[in-house]
Amino acid sequence: MDKNQIKEEIIKLKKQRDAVIVAHNYQVDDVQEVSDVIGDSLALSKYCANNSKKVILFCGVDFMAESAKILSPEKKVLLPEKDAGCPMADMVTAEALREEKKKHPGAVVVCYINSSAHVKAESDICCTSSNAIDVVKSIKEKDILFVPDQNLGSYVAKMVPEKNIILWKGFCITHHRVKVEEVSKVRELHPDALLLVHPECQKDVVDAADFVGSTKQIIDYAKSSSNQKYIIGTEMGVLYKLKRDNPDKTFYLLSPGLICPNMKKTSLNSVYNALNEMKYEINLDEEVRIKAKRSLDRMLQI
Ligand code: SF4
């Protein structure tokens, strides 16, 4: 089948299966095109929970599909590529977290949504890159154990200096490799462009930015700002929506290394196969799911 035939088949299957297709901002353009909604992991999980379809096809990585399942246990949640995982989420396990908690008995555990259901279940509250500062500010205790992203954690520590933030040493392999030297080079090439950076980048890159925010905040900022040119310091998939929504503006990628190999595993073919064969289903232990939901719910109350 050619690309257009696959797209037609996906639309037919979607109806037959009573499915909704959701895609993370970092997915390849073709997958974003066939999706019902594009967004960040939390926005997509909330969208799925409020949607009446029986099947959720989550085009992203495993922890995102798990979050959808945590919030929508009655639905069938499918991840099109079984091996689409997140190396940063894998840098903390529930067992290692339990050990670390023993070293900091009074600390509140804040876990970035980029973590497994088991780690969420061991945590007190979740956060996203959009709300991490508000989540930490809402906690009355001074000591916070922040897992797994050291870069997001150190950005939060800078913005909320009254807290003692204990950092886990995890990082996003895609954002962490951007070097501040690349910022200088791109700034020289495009002196009239604003630099918008994700807080998963290292501190010196974040410090050099004109704006720091999650993918959604970057998309919203570029839309509302009157500037014409932007250097984008997050995964390249976000360019699809930025260009689609702002055809009169120009976007440059901060670094050619801003590609997440796991996010690029999902293709039109995998979306088609997933709907055709109803694979790969996400299943969670109910006890873990309930505990993980507590951490998500506490965040959602803020
Ligand atoms: S971009 Fe980074 S945090 Fe996001 S899925 Fe890829 S490795 Fe994980």
Side-chain angles (χ1 to χ4, degrees):
M1 284 191 285
D2 67 25
K3 209 188 254 189
N4 287 332
Q5 285 171 316
I6 297 177
K7 284 182 184 170
E8 280 169 25
E9 288 303 313
I10 288 172
I11 292 165
K12 273 190 222 161
L13 278 168
K14 200 170 69 164
K15 271 196 190 149
Q16 280 171 23
R17 305 292 195 208
D18 193 26
V20 61
I21 303 177
V22 302
H24 189 268
N25 290 310
Y26 297 166
Q27 291 289 292
V28 298
D29 294 1
D30 281 342
V31 169
Q32 293 197 36
E33 257 173 54
V34 295
S35 299
D36 296 293
V37 62
I38 307 161
D40 61 21
S41 56
L42 181 66
L44 294 177
S45 294
K46 287 199 311 203
Y47 174 88
C48 294
N50 294 323
N51 190 284
S52 61
K53 304 284 183 199
K54 289 190 186 118
V55 175
I56 297 165
L57 185 71
F58 207 116
C59 303
V61 294
D62 52 8
F63 77 81
M64 298 175 177
E66 279 189 357
S67 296
K69 186 69 182 178
I70 291 168
L71 295 178
S72 305
E74 72 292 355
K75 296 181 183 175
K76 196 182 269 280
V77 179
L78 305 174
L79 181 70
E81 286 292 333
K82 193 167 55 176
D83 298 332
C86 169
M88 174 161 72
D90 295 341
M91 289 177 194
V92 57
T93 62
E95 199 183 10
L97 179 54
R98 274 194 292 274
E99 288 307 307
E100 193 64 20
K101 279 162 70 173
K102 287 181 195 161
K103 295 183 202 162
H104 311 283
V108 174
V109 180
V110 176
C111 86
Y112 189 20
I113 196 156
N114 296 29
S115 55
S116 69
H118 284 84
V119 166
K120 289 183 177 79
E122 278 298 324
S123 302
D124 296 299
I125 184 166
C126 281
C127 73
T128 68
S129 46
S130 298
N131 65 18
I133 293 169
D134 291 336
V135 165
V136 167
K137 278 184 177 168
S138 77
I139 296 166
K140 67 176 188 329
E141 287 83 351
K142 187 175 170 66
D143 292 342
I144 311 277
L145 176 56
F146 193 97
V147 300
D149 186 14
Q150 59 180 297
N151 292 323
L152 177 62
S154 73
Y155 175 63
V156 173
K158 179 181 147 188
M159 303 307 281
V160 195
E162 64 273 23
K163 298 289 182 193
N164 173 35
I165 310 239
I166 304 148
L167 299 174
W168 196 268
K169 290 294 175 199
F171 57 89
C172 162
I173 54 163
T174 301
H175 290 87
H176 192 77
R177 65 174 160 232
V178 179
K179 299 278 172 267
V180 74
E181 294 75 29
E182 294 179 272
V183 172
S184 319
K185 279 189 196 154
V186 184
R187 284 255 201 222
E188 263 174 45
L189 285 172
H190 311 292
D192 48 351
L194 291 178
L195 174 61
L196 318 184
V197 157
H198 196 284
E200 285 173 17
C201 290
Q202 294 194 61
K203 187 179 180 306
D204 50 2
V205 174
V206 167
D207 287 345
D210 296 301
F211 176 79
V212 182
S214 64
T215 49
K216 182 183 184 312
Q217 288 166 334
I218 286 175
I219 289 166
D220 291 348
Y221 184 96
K223 198 168 188 176
S224 61
S225 163
S226 57
N227 211 69
Q228 284 302 300
K229 294 179 182 176
Y230 301 88
I231 302 161
I232 300 300
T234 190
E235 212 277 347
M236 62 168 300
V238 85
L239 295 173
Y240 171 80
K241 206 170 180 183
L242 284 168
K243 289 178 181 171
R244 189 195 68 183
D245 295 352
N246 307 279
D248 54 330
K249 296 183 179 175
T250 308
F251 299 94
Y252 310 99
L253 196 63
L254 168 57
S255 163
L258 279 165
I259 300 176
C260 173
N262 281 284
M263 282 286 183
K264 303 307 184 215
K265 283 182 180 165
T266 308
S267 63
L268 270 186
N269 272 324
S270 39
V271 171
Y272 169 77
N273 289 334
L275 280 176
N276 196 30
E277 297 168 39
M278 295 297 276
K279 63 182 187 184
Y280 294 93
E281 187 173 358
I282 301 289
N283 287 304
L284 294 173
D285 175 89
E286 186 58 6
E287 199 181 325
V288 170
R289 188 193 72 77
I290 289 169
K291 281 191 186 166
K293 187 169 182 294
R294 240 176 258 155
S295 297
L296 277 173
D297 283 345
R298 195 173 156 194
M299 171 186 79
L300 293 171
Q301 282 162 13
I302 292 169

